[in-house]
């Protein structure tokens, strides 16, 4: 018998209100028989536990019974402080609440765990937006947070990338997701869809209260949404050659699925380290802009229309710079490469090997 598992079961009952033995077994990763045995041991230990038979029944705690926060391991205390990182909480309008909860948690922990939790909070900081981009303002996020928590519909004006760009809809918010510094609203507006919060032009709460489907799982929805988005986004392929330096720079200039495709399909072409690979593409215009980030370290072999687009862009650039032979500025340094605040540590730019014709 695990004392930690019994405590977890007690906290599960306290947070859920009522659970079945099967639910408890699944949550605690034990057999149903073990869950029944643990429930009996809680009752023997004096926990006021009752059982309600029939559909919708289960085990619950007598109204008003609460346990004190005890039994946290050192790792669990650290994890709770990491779960309360202040940046996203402040975005949601919960910064003060998170700060107060952290103080209460510190006060409830034993002295040793309290010091360890405080040290953990001091050495981790979350900065969600990516490099070279500013966080997008989302002034209507607090209204949407209230709508999600209160399960109240909200009337929004939303700016899409498709025509018509501005639309008005009544949404029933199911949840919010933070990805790479950008907040997304998952909501039903006829069907369940995903909306960037920074594109919400106006949000007005309504008096309509709705019930979120009991079988809706926000994490599962988001995973499926990302998979579908990737499948719809990449509608074609291109055969591309990369120099060693171009391949090394690829993770900073292309999405992960392109990097994975290069790793999976790359074959050597010549003795100078160049490789040829088949990569997924969204379209000619987008692929041209994406690949041009690698400059002379990339060459499109096929399809012909993408190769022509690359050549036309390069010719236009050559004409524009024909009267200004000054060398281009080097690529910006990676801020994580050890350079100081003044960027004094330079990158090793390297050189491109000569290429033989007919490679």
């Amino acid at each position: 018998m695990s004392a930690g598992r019994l405590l977890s079961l007690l906290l599960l009952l306290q947070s859920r209100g009522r659970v079945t033995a099967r639910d408890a077994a699944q949550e605690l990763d034990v057999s149903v028989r073990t869950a029944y045995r643990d429930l009996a041991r809680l009752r023997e230990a004096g926990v006021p536990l009752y059982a309600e038979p029939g559909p919708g029944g289960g085990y619950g705690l007598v109204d008003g019974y609460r346990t004190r926060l005890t039994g946290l391991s050192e790792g669990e205390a650290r994890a709770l402080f990491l779960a309360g990182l202040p940046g996203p909480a402040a975005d949601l309008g919960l910064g003060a609440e998170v700060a107060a909860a952290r103080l209460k948690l510190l006060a409830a922990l034993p002295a040793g765990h309290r010091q360890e939790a405080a040290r953990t909070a001091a050495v981790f900081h979350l900065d969600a937006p990516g490099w070279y981009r500013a966080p997008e303002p989302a002034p209507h996020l607090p209204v949407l947070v209230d709508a999600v928590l209160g399960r109240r519909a909200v009337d929004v004006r939303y700016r899409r990338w498709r025509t018509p760009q501005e639309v008005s809809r009544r949404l029933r918010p199911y949840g919010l997701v933070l990805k790479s510094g950008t907040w997304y609203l998952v909501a039903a507006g006829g069907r369940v869809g995903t909306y960037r919060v920074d594109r919400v032009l106006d949000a007005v709460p309504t008096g309509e209260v709705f019930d979120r489907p009991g079988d809706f799982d926000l994490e599962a929805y988001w995973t499926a949404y990302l998979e579908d988005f990737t499948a719809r986004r990449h509608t074609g392929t291109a055969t591309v050659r990369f120099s060693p330096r171009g391949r090394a720079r690829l993770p900073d200039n292309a999405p992960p699925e392109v990097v994975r495709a290069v790793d999976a399909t790359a074959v050597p072409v010549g003795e100078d380290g160049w490789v040829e690979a088949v990569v997924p593409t969204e379209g000619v215009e987008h692929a041209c802009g994406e690949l041009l980030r690698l400059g002379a370290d990339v060459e499109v072999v096929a399809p012909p229309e993408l190769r022509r687009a690359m050549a036309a862009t390069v010719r236009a650039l050559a004409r524009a710079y024909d009267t200004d032979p000054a060398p281009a500025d080097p690529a910006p340094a990676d801020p994580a490469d050890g350079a100081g605040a003044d960027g004094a540590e330079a990158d090793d730019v390297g050189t491109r090997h000569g290429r033989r014709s007919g490679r």
Side-chain angles (χ1 to χ4, degrees):
M1 177 186 65
S2 167
R5 192 176 70 236
L6 289 180
L7 178 60
S8 296
L9 177 58
L10 180 56
L11 294 174
L12 179 66
L13 289 163
Q14 185 170 295
S15 62
R16 297 273 185 90
R18 184 183 301 165
V19 297
T20 65
R22 187 171 299 277
D23 291 337
Q26 184 174 1
E27 187 75 24
L28 302 175
D29 195 24
V30 296
S31 67
V32 175
R33 182 177 180 180
T34 298
Y36 276 120
R37 187 166 58 246
D38 287 349
L39 287 163
R41 284 170 173 156
L42 281 181
R43 183 178 289 166
E44 292 168 2
V47 175
L49 193 65
Y50 71 91
E52 187 170 316
Y59 291 85
L61 298 171
V62 172
D63 289 346
Y65 178 82
R66 306 289 292 177
T67 183
R68 299 177 65 88
L69 180 62
T70 57
L72 281 177
S73 69
E74 183 176 301
E76 289 166 341
R78 287 199 300 263
L80 280 176
F81 267 76
L82 288 177
L85 289 168
D91 289 346
L92 295 171
L94 300 173
E97 288 80 357
V98 168
R102 287 158 68 97
L103 287 175
K104 291 177 181 178
L105 176 58
L106 273 178
L109 290 173
H113 290 358
R114 187 183 309 143
Q115 294 170 1
E116 183 60 30
R119 281 196 296 268
T120 299
V123 297
F124 287 94
H125 174 69
L126 175 65
D127 183 12
W131 292 108
Y132 310 118
R133 56 170 290 191
E136 299 288 347
H140 302 291
L141 181 59
V143 174
L144 298 176
V145 171
D146 290 341
V148 169
L149 296 177
R151 299 190 177 186
R152 294 184 180 275
V154 59
D155 289 332
V156 304
R157 283 192 305 115
Y158 186 74
R159 186 181 71 254
R160 310 190 306 173
W161 65 270
R162 298 191 303 269
T163 302
Q165 283 197 313
E166 188 174 315
V167 296
S168 296
R169 290 179 180 168
R170 174 163 291 193
L171 300 178
R172 296 162 184 83
Y174 287 178
L176 287 157
V177 176
L178 177 64
K179 180 174 177 60
S180 301
T182 300
W183 285 98
Y184 293 86
L185 175 71
V186 177
R191 62 181 181 85
V192 180
T194 304
Y195 303 83
R196 277 185 58 151
V197 175
D198 57 15
R199 292 182 182 169
V200 174
L201 304 175
D202 195 18
V204 180
T206 72
E208 178 188 343
V209 179
F210 66 92
D211 290 325
R212 194 175 79 164
D215 59 351
F216 179 79
D217 185 318
L218 181 61
E219 182 179 355
Y221 167 86
W222 186 254
T223 299
Y225 170 78
L226 291 181
E227 292 174 352
D228 179 65
F229 176 75
T230 300
R232 287 186 290 107
R233 187 160 59 99
H234 292 122
T235 57
T237 60
T239 302
V240 184
R241 292 175 177 174
F242 300 92
S243 74
R245 191 167 72 113
R247 188 174 181 183
R249 291 174 54 203
L250 196 60
D252 295 326
N253 292 278
E257 51 269 20
V258 172
V259 179
R260 287 194 296 267
V262 172
D263 291 341
T265 64
V267 294
V269 283
E271 298 177 357
D272 53 2
W274 281 69
V275 297
E276 184 174 293
V278 177
V279 300
T281 60
E282 293 188 38
V284 171
E285 183 178 355
H286 183 274
C288 182
E290 194 170 77
L291 292 171
L292 280 172
R293 297 174 187 171
L294 300 176
D297 290 303
V298 64
E299 178 191 349
V300 172
V301 178
E305 56 270 24
L306 177 55
R307 186 176 174 90
R308 287 193 294 268
M310 295 281 287
T313 304
V314 171
R315 284 195 296 268
L317 286 170
R319 287 194 299 270
Y321 288 95
D322 188 48
T323 58
D324 182 10
D329 291 335
D334 186 335
D337 275 350
D342 60 355
E345 186 173 326
D347 283 345
D348 180 11
V349 175
T351 58
R352 173 180 175 179
H353 292 286
R355 303 175 58 194
R356 293 186 297 275
S357 60
R359 187 183 61 188

